[in-house]
Every structure is written in C-alpha cells, then in structure tokens.
Amino acid sequence: MSIAPPSTFSLDDRFARELPEMALPWHAEVAPEPRLLVLNEPLAAELGLDPAALRGDDGVRFLLGNAVPPGARPVAQAYAGHQFGGYNPRLGDGRALLLGELVDTGGRLRDLHLKGSGRTPFSRGGDGFAAVGPMLREYVISEAMHALGIPTTRALAVVATGRPVYRETALPGAVLARVASSHLRVGSFQYARSTGDVELLRRLADVAIERHGIGSGDDGAAEAENRYLALYESVVAVQASLVAQWMLVGFIHGVMNTDNVTISGETIDYGPCAFMEAVDPATVYSSIDAGGRYAYGNQPLIAEWNLARLAESLLPLLAEEQEPAVELAVTALKRFRPQYSAAWAAGMRAKLGLPEGLDDAATGALAEDLLELLQAGHVDHTSFFRALGAAARGDVDPARNLFLDLAGFDAWVQRWRALSPDGEAMDRVNPVYIPRNHLVEEALDAATGGDLGPLGRLLEVVTRPFEERPGLERYAAPAPADFGAAYRTFCGT
Ligand code: AMP
Ligand code: MG
C-alpha cells in the first residue's frame, strides 16, 4: 500500500481569507514521537478522508498540523469572552489552531481544528499543550453526545505527541483533531465588537449567516428585513434547544463561559464537563467552579445571560440608534425562556413516553412532581428514566427500587400510567449508557498508562447508548458509593 501524500487532505483557508483581523497565521509544534491513539473512522469517511491514509505517517502528521496540505493556512482564532462572569477582551486560541475547512460528503462545510498543538500569541501564561487524558475525555464525551443526538463538535482523532506536558506531574502530551460546523462563538462577536470596527463586526455576522445557512431554510433570515436580528434570533433558538437537551440527559458543561458558546448551537469545549448521577440541580463537578455558577440547574439561566452578552455585541448591527437596537434585542432575548421551556417540555414528554397533544398543564405538573421525587430520593437520573420504560410495560420494580419513599413513587406512577405511556418509544430516547464519571476516569487512567483497551470498550458502549446489550451491566450502573460525592473534574489546561 502506498502512503498518501499530504496533498490528499486538501483544506480551504476560508476563515483566514474572510476574517483576517481575527485569524493569526500560525503553525503547530512538531511532535517528537507521534502515535495515533484513536481515529474516528465513521467521521473520517463522512468528511471524505480515507481512514487508511490518516493512519499512515503522513496522515498522522496531517492530524498534528505538522504536514500542512498545499493551500491550507492554519490560524489561531481571536476571540474574547466572559469567564465566570468577568470579561477578558483577549482570549483566543491559546493552545489550538484552525487547520482549515473542508466540504464533507453531505456537502456541508466543516472546520478541522486542533487542540494541544502548542503555544500561540494567545497563550498568555499557558504552555499551549494538552495531556492525553483530557483530549481523550473530549473524544469520548463528545462522541457520546453525538450518539445521544445532541448537537456537538466531534472528535476525529487523538494523537499522542511523545512530548511530556507538565501539570501537577509530567503527563503524556496529545493533540485532539476535532470537527465543527464552525468555531464561531459568542466570544468571537465580543472580540469584533470590542475592536470598535463595525465593518469587521458586520463581516463576521455575514460569515456566520452564510456559514450556518441562516435564511436559506424556512426562517428566511438572509432575506429578512433585518438579517442581523434574524441571526441573533437564530442563536437564541439553537441555544435554547441545546441547553434543554443537556438538561434532559443530565449533562453539565461545567464552563459555560461566552467563549464556549457557539453560534451554531453545537456543544463545544469539553473541559470539566460530566453527567449528573443523583438528581440535584446544585450538582457541580468542576474543581474551578467553587461558587456553583455553572451548576446543573443554573445552565438555562447562564445560557440566557450569555445570549444577552451576544446581544450587546450585535447592537450596532441591529439598528442605527441605540434605543431601538436595545428594544429589538430585548424582545428577541425574551423568546429564550418560552423556547427553552417548550423544548424541555417536549423532551420530557418523550422521556415519559407520553403522546403529543396531552394537556400541557397536566404533563407539566407530572414532570415537576417527578423531579421533586427524584431529587428528594437522590435517584440516578439515567437509570431512572430507562427503568421507567419497563414500568410502562408493566414491570414497575426496577424503577420503584430506586426510591426510599415508595408511597410517593407509587402515587406518581399511578397518575403517569393512567396516561398510557409507550415503553418502546421511551427506550428510543432514554439512554441505557452514558459516559459515567467513574468509567471515564478508569478509561483515561488506563490510556494514560498505555492501555487503550478500556477506552475502546467504553467508546463502543456509549456510541450506541440506547441499545441495551447483555454483559454490559456495569456500564449502566451508577458509580460505586465511595466514588460519588467528592468527584471533581478539571479543565485539564
Ligand atoms: P478553555 O477553558 O479551554 O475554554 O480555554 C480558555 C482560554 O484559555 C482559551 O483562550 C484557551 O486557548 C486558553 N488555554 C487553555 N489551556 C491553555 C494552555 N495549556 N495553554 C495556553 N492557553 C490555554
Ligand atoms: Mg474554550
């Protein structure tokens, strides 16, 4: 077999051409001893990249940014952002690079981006590198999210660099190659706005409108009277839907800074994220989120806060004068709550196996009473909803056994079963397998030590989350009691 030359992997430099003020041409650090740890073959095929070629020497160098195809121009992207509520006018890709764009087999333009590729002018105090553990963590969790049907950036590969990175201890270094429908963030708009250059802001907004097809569908935004308002409305809508999906599956992003909020509505930047086990809105796993700003139950409010920051950035495009611009933005942002609530309620109705068209107030009360019971009983979110599918088919015990307050549960189940829930439909939306924290840690520890077996098995499980398979019981079970409460996740920076 001949090894494909790097030019097999052609990339565009569209972002660099369209927004040069926000794109610093840069290069990835050369990896001393590259070793491909994991390659996402289905995604590679979707991108029109030959998996066998990617596994070859030149392919691996391509995945590290060390072999740049002709025509490509890797850049560090500039963005700003509110981090834990405090504004930072200059964040940007401090350990990442946009390699370029490619058109996938479905005709969609996708970004190919690296994380852990070395220092850039945006690195501030950081070393620009990433460790194997956190990069594999992003791989596993983002692929699990994709399999759950939740919009997300995706992982194409993780390559170990052979270079140690120094955190509390020396760790093996790695580069993640990831794919996104774009890397435009709320922070990108904050950056453009802060330059004071309204034409740059307008160009950025035009790029976003074109890139995300806003207006090419039914919403008619590109032709709309106010295309920038339509852009804003679109981001409000996709974020409302995204965060509702996080809540329904128990996902905690962990670091919902404005630079980690996409214009596309894809989940991005998997750092200290984790799935909640026992239901509790106050759940926080991130070691740096001492105040609980990004706790599970706060996520919808934080999303709304982040969208307000986007509105502020867009004001000069919404209207000539400040006052009508603010009015338009406020009206658009007001739609977040009803959109979020509608998405959440529709998702919850599906999780409960109930048909559309039931009385909203009745199903709303049913869902709220359930959440109270789940929280009071510290019931495992994922196990419960899956077990409830069996209850719909008449086998109530698996769900009932998760509660101590049996009377409370029995009364609730009676109300719910009176609505004739559909257990089969529930099994299609309530996962058996999520990347549980203890399993993720186990897989990453093994991989860091050189054993990729547990990671491969975990990936097989979580990428088919709805399909219950014999022999995989331990992947469906909550963490052992001694693991749970003190569990902390780290940014891995
Ligand atoms: P994150 O928390 O991953 O969203 O990153 C927030 C900001 O810190 C971004 O500007 C990153 O590029 C930057 N950053 C994170 N880790 C590093 C690192 N190891 N070296 C340089 N910059 C980093
Ligand atoms: Mg980030």
Side-chain angles (χ1 to χ4, degrees):
M1 188 195 78
S2 68
I3 291 171
S7 55
T8 307
F9 312 110
S10 74
L11 292 172
D12 201 352
D13 63 347
R14 196 163 153 157
F15 182 85
R17 279 187 283 111
E18 292 178 336
L19 291 159
E21 298 91 335
M22 297 178 64
L24 268 168
W26 205 250
H27 55 273
E29 209 64 50
V30 174
E33 236 180 284
R35 192 163 68 90
L36 182 63
L37 297 182
V38 47
L39 176 69
N40 190 337
E41 296 210 356
L43 178 60
E46 192 180 309
L47 296 172
L49 300 172
D50 174 14
L54 286 173
R55 287 186 184 282
D57 286 350
D58 287 332
V60 170
R61 293 196 321 121
F62 168 75
L63 290 168
L64 286 162
N66 293 161
V68 177
R73 194 160 34 127
V75 293
Q77 290 180 301
Y79 50 84
H82 277 86
Q83 298 179 298
F84 290 89
Y87 183 63
N88 188 330
R90 190 181 148 103
L91 290 170
D93 286 336
R95 56 159 171 175
L97 287 178
L98 175 65
L99 270 189
E101 301 89 3
L102 48 78
V103 179
D104 69 18
T105 51
R108 290 176 304 166
L109 193 64
R110 316 272 287 263
D111 275 5
L112 180 58
H113 178 97
L114 304 180
K115 201 159 159 180
S117 48
R119 286 183 58 82
T120 76
F122 298 110
S123 295
R124 294 169 288 155
D127 61 4
F129 295 126
V132 161
M135 295 305 98
L136 289 175
R137 187 184 169 79
E138 173 153 345
Y139 191 113
V140 174
I141 300 186
S142 61
E143 283 308 294
M145 292 286 272
H146 175 72
L148 289 163
I150 300 176
T152 179
T153 64
R154 295 194 61 190
L156 177 61
V158 175
V159 182
T161 58
R163 181 194 298 104
V165 293
Y166 298 94
R167 298 295 180 255
E168 285 89 30
T169 56
L171 296 167
V175 170
L176 167 79
R178 80 175 176 201
V179 174
S181 71
S182 90
H183 281 78
L184 301 176
R185 314 143 187 265
V186 169
S188 313
F189 284 85
Q190 291 181 292
Y191 180 87
R193 173 80 167 98
S194 73
T195 64
D197 179 350
V198 177
E199 285 321 303
L200 173 63
L201 183 66
R202 192 183 308 279
R203 199 161 3 104
L204 173 62
D206 288 337
V207 164
I209 288 168
E210 199 196 338
R211 185 80 192 251
H212 296 298
I214 294 163
S216 60
D218 301 333
D219 55 356
E223 300 87 42
E225 202 177 316
N226 188 336
R227 56 197 261 115
Y228 304 112
L229 179 61
L231 168 64
Y232 183 59
E233 288 169 342
S234 151
V235 184
V236 170
V238 293
Q239 286 292 334
S241 161
L242 177 66
V243 176
Q245 293 182 70
W246 290 356
M247 298 302 285
L248 290 163
V249 81
F251 177 75
I252 307 170
H253 184 282
V255 57
M256 290 175 71
N257 294 335
T258 54
D259 57 301
N260 293 338
V261 177
T262 57
I263 298 307
S264 65
E266 288 176 350
T267 311
I268 197 170
D269 273 0
Y270 292 81
C273 59
F275 282 77
M276 175 175 72
E277 295 219 315
V279 172
D280 183 355
T283 306
V284 173
Y285 292 111
S286 170
S287 60
I288 56 168
D289 191 6
R293 179 180 170 91
Y294 299 139
Y296 171 71
N298 281 355
Q299 295 185 119
L301 274 178
I302 290 291
E304 187 186 48
W305 190 91
N306 288 336
L307 289 164
R309 307 289 78 75
L310 177 62
E312 287 163 2
S313 306
L314 288 173
L315 284 181
L317 303 182
L318 296 183
E320 297 261 330
E321 303 293 329
Q322 167 110 349
E323 215 173 293
V326 169
E327 207 167 294
L328 288 170
V330 166
T331 305
L333 183 55
K334 273 197 183 140
R335 293 172 60 187
F336 177 81
R337 289 186 187 204
Q339 284 174 346
Y340 169 80
S341 297
W344 186 86
M348 184 51 75
R349 203 168 46 227
K351 288 178 84 64
L352 295 175
L354 303 176
E356 278 177 54
L358 279 183
D359 172 26
D360 276 355
T363 53
L366 194 70
E368 269 170 36
D369 293 347
L370 172 63
L371 290 182
E372 261 176 47
L373 283 172
L374 292 172
Q375 187 182 344
H378 306 287
V379 176
D380 183 84
H381 183 271
T382 305
S383 305
F384 170 76
F385 282 101
R386 187 69 186 196
L388 200 61
R393 292 184 286 264
D395 181 10
V396 177
D397 279 350
R400 190 172 193 261
N401 290 340
L402 298 170
F403 290 84
L404 290 175
D405 173 11
L406 296 178
F409 174 74
D410 290 343
W412 183 88
V413 153
Q414 213 174 4
R415 282 163 65 199
W416 169 69
R417 290 195 65 189
L419 299 170
S420 312
D422 176 347
E424 304 306 320
M426 292 172 73
D427 286 354
R428 290 193 290 272
V429 296
N430 293 317
V432 198
Y433 311 112
I434 53 164
R436 290 185 180 272
N437 305 320
H438 64 296
L439 300 171
V440 173
E441 294 303 324
E442 174 191 272
L444 300 189
D445 283 350
T448 300
D451 176 9
L452 290 167
L455 178 86
R457 288 191 287 280
L458 181 60
L459 272 170
E460 269 174 38
V461 174
V462 300
T463 52
R464 286 154 65 196
F466 302 108
E467 210 179 301
E468 191 161 3
R469 285 160 277 166
L472 298 181
E473 291 73 15
R474 79 177 277 270
Y475 291 93
D482 60 350
F483 182 87
Y487 180 60
R488 287 289 168 271
T489 54
F490 300 90
C491 274
T493 57

